[in-house]
Amino acid sequence: MFKILVLTLIFVIISLIEVPGLVKQKKIREVIVFFVFLIVSYILNLLYLLNIQITPTNKIIQSLLKPIEKFWGQ
């Protein structure tokens, strides 16, 4: 339980450091992308801490990139 609290605290601190600067510069799209990546990385780290097996992310990325490779003819 302590590890989960520390992980959450780290992600909150990262958000508090990065987001205010982006909001001041009115970069709303960047804030949205930042939070999407932040949430995905938080979930992956949380699953790792809970010892839940997940599909390796490189396999997921490969399956997403295969159609692009076929389109470009590589």
Side-chain angles (χ1 to χ4, degrees):
M1 187 68 174
F2 179 71
K3 291 179 182 181
I4 295 172
L5 291 174
V6 171
L7 177 70
T8 304
L9 182 64
I10 289 170
F11 277 86
V12 168
I13 290 171
I14 291 171
S15 296
L16 291 174
I17 292 171
E18 293 295 326
V19 172
L22 293 172
V23 171
K24 284 182 185 177
Q25 296 174 5
K26 298 185 181 196
K27 296 185 174 183
I28 302 303
R29 289 182 182 160
E30 284 81 356
V31 172
I32 293 169
V33 171
F34 175 79
F35 275 117
V36 167
F37 282 119
L38 188 76
I39 290 168
V40 169
S41 62
Y42 178 75
I43 291 171
L44 289 174
N45 280 295
L46 189 61
L47 291 173
Y48 178 76
L49 283 179
L50 297 173
N51 292 326
I52 298 174
Q53 282 190 334
I54 56 173
T55 304
T57 53
N58 62 344
K59 289 185 180 180
I60 295 170
I61 292 171
Q62 284 176 351
S63 67
L64 292 174
L65 292 179
K66 271 195 192 266
I68 295 172
E69 289 176 4
K70 287 180 183 177
F71 178 74
W72 282 336
Q74 293 181 354

